[in-house]
Amino acid sequence: VISGVGGGVPDVADVTGTLVAASHPVQVIGAHACTNIPHDKAACDHLEESILPIENLAQTYLLTVPLIKPPKQPATRKSRLIRVVATADATALSFEPAQPGAPTMLKKAGDHAEFVSDQDFELSATARVVVAEYMLGQAAGGGSGDPAMTIAVPPALFRADYVIHAPTQYESNFVNLVAPPGATVKLDAKPIAKAAWSPIGNTGWSVARVQLLGKPDGDHQLSADQPF
């Protein structure tokens, strides 16, 4: 299903909020051939991400800021655009900590709203929502990083073990780890230092941003004594 061209800047053609239903299980992937984020900032890049089914969506999400590290520079936070899509009418939104300029209400199922943030926070809704995060393009700050898309995963779907791959030809690779109070999280069998963690508002959850180094094949293992 392709949106086509509707005109305008940004183009008004958009399938965001479309409900897909099928008589048997299907996979849905959201994608874009090449987009600027925001629409007036370079550089254009492609997006693709698997979309969660409604039964796996939630009313609460923990969202954290990515890091970028241009060559010979320290790592810095990279703002991202957050898009929230309603699955029910009159969905109210709240944030911890508060996010200035963030939407507080989605009137109809399928409606969406978006805002930019450089903070870690918890998003809560009165009904299930889809939450997508988009890294801003190079010209939107930091001189590195291009549009990239991730669908937020709610805590109910967190697991205690992961295997991930970080391409070794990239400028740099980081992993964002979100964990509950008291959790011990390990990267390649080594515990993440306590000093690496910072609180996400007053939620009780914490985030650590860790650079991925030292594996020539780019493969890494993550594990914890609690889902994270």
Side-chain angles (χ1 to χ4, degrees):
V1 178
I2 301 175
S3 64
V5 177
V9 180
D11 197 293
V12 297
D14 189 352
V15 296
T16 299
T18 300
L19 177 65
V20 178
S23 57
H24 294 281
V26 297
Q27 183 182 23
V28 179
I29 298 175
H32 196 295
C34 200
T35 187
N36 293 321
I37 297 178
H39 70 88
D40 58 349
K41 299 291 185 182
C44 168
D45 213 337
H46 57 95
L47 308 173
E48 52 277 318
E49 178 66 290
S50 295
I51 307 301
L52 293 176
I54 287 179
E55 58 263 35
N56 288 140
L57 299 177
Q59 294 173 237
T60 301
Y61 295 86
L62 295 152
L63 308 176
T64 62
V65 185
L67 291 181
I68 56 171
K69 189 181 184 305
K72 299 181 180 180
Q73 295 185 36
T76 58
R77 292 190 177 200
K78 179 75 172 184
S79 295
R80 79 279 196 219
L81 182 146
I82 295 102
R83 175 176 282 195
V84 187
V85 187
T87 66
D89 295 347
T91 297
L93 305 175
S94 58
F95 306 88
E96 171 54 43
Q99 297 296 298
T104 57
M105 176 65 68
L106 296 169
K107 292 183 179 180
K108 297 290 185 181
D111 283 357
H112 73 272
E114 56 191 31
F115 62 102
V116 174
S117 175
D118 63 355
Q119 298 182 40
D120 307 318
F121 62 90
E122 179 183 71
L123 182 154
S124 298
T126 54
R128 299 184 188 204
V129 291
V130 183
V131 182
E133 297 178 89
Y134 304 86
M135 184 181 285
L136 304 187
Q138 289 187 27
S144 184
D146 267 344
M149 176 186 181
T150 185
I151 296 292
V153 175
L157 297 184
F158 286 2
R159 299 291 185 262
D161 295 280
Y162 301 88
V163 176
I164 63 174
H165 177 73
T168 56
Q169 67 269 33
Y170 283 9
E171 278 184 352
S172 58
N173 292 292
F174 294 87
V175 61
N176 280 24
L177 306 172
V178 176
T184 298
V185 182
K186 296 181 179 180
L187 170 62
D188 298 326
K190 297 179 180 180
I192 303 297
K194 291 184 178 180
W197 297 92
S198 57
I200 302 176
N202 294 316
T203 65
W205 292 80
S206 297
V207 57
R209 281 168 276 263
V210 182
Q211 189 166 9
L212 298 173
L213 299 167
K215 293 293 290 291
D217 59 3
D219 294 339
H220 299 270
Q221 291 183 314
L222 292 157
S223 62
D225 54 358
Q226 300 181 54
F228 71 106

